[in-house]
Amino acid sequence: ADQVRPTLEKIITWMEAQPEPELSLFADKRRHWHDGWFALYTWRRTLGLCKWLSRSDNGQEHFAPALDAEWHSWQQASPEQVEQSIEERQDGLSECLALALAANAPKLGLKLYDAAEVKQPSKNQAPLLQFGRWACQHLAQGGNRDATFVAKGADMLRASLLPYFFWGGNRTEPALWLKAIYWDSGVARTPEQAIARAYDSMPGVK
């Protein structure tokens, strides 16, 4: 943690000194319609994640606006654009659900899930979507991040971390899941402890 914190702080300092990405910079018709919104989403998500990892800040100040950017992108898209991006939308949905839980915005997570009209998720993606939807419903209905919540989250991670994340090089989404399941529940007291819980779900990996 002490080795990476200076780098995280440099990233935070730099990002906070810059303006957020402007949608107008991505208005060129040669670009994908979603590029600008995704840049805004990624900027906010990254800043929130860096603050959590470095400062134990819950990140909600940035995670919730990131999720808002994703929601508004689909609301403002044309029917043709939505139709052309069905696969992209479903591919990014599991991270949106993880972000909704990390942002403590389960109702918005459910709105994104319902709007995506999920059809035939892949074998690796199914556990993520199933837990993410259940967890958002659980919290939206007044539930807590209790032992059942953590146990279901651990089951999801065991089913997904090795096949879906570890070999694919994606580290951002699992970090969000680990925060939402272990740190936000109080099981892990520090971000480092939450990240270390990944090894519980990857037997044989050291």
Side-chain angles (χ1 to χ4, degrees), residues 106 120 131 179 201:
Q120 296 182 331
F131 171 75
K179 173 190 182 292
S201 304

Side-chain angles (χ1 to χ4, degrees), residues 18-72:
Q18 310 301 317
E20 290 187 328
E22 295 183 15
L23 296 179
S24 60
L25 297 177
F26 299 84
D28 190 320
K29 292 184 179 180
R30 290 173 294 181
R31 302 194 67 115
H32 192 282
W33 69 269
H34 195 241
D35 285 352
W37 288 105
F38 185 69
L40 187 57
Y41 163 86
T42 303
W43 182 276
R44 294 170 176 175
R45 179 205 63 192
T46 300
L47 185 53
L49 195 56
C50 286
K51 285 188 176 182
W52 173 62
L53 290 169
S54 183
R55 304 175 181 177
S56 294
D57 184 301
N58 65 25
Q60 293 177 14
E61 175 187 0
H62 304 290
F63 291 149
L67 212 59
D68 282 337
E70 179 67 7
W71 173 253
H72 286 302

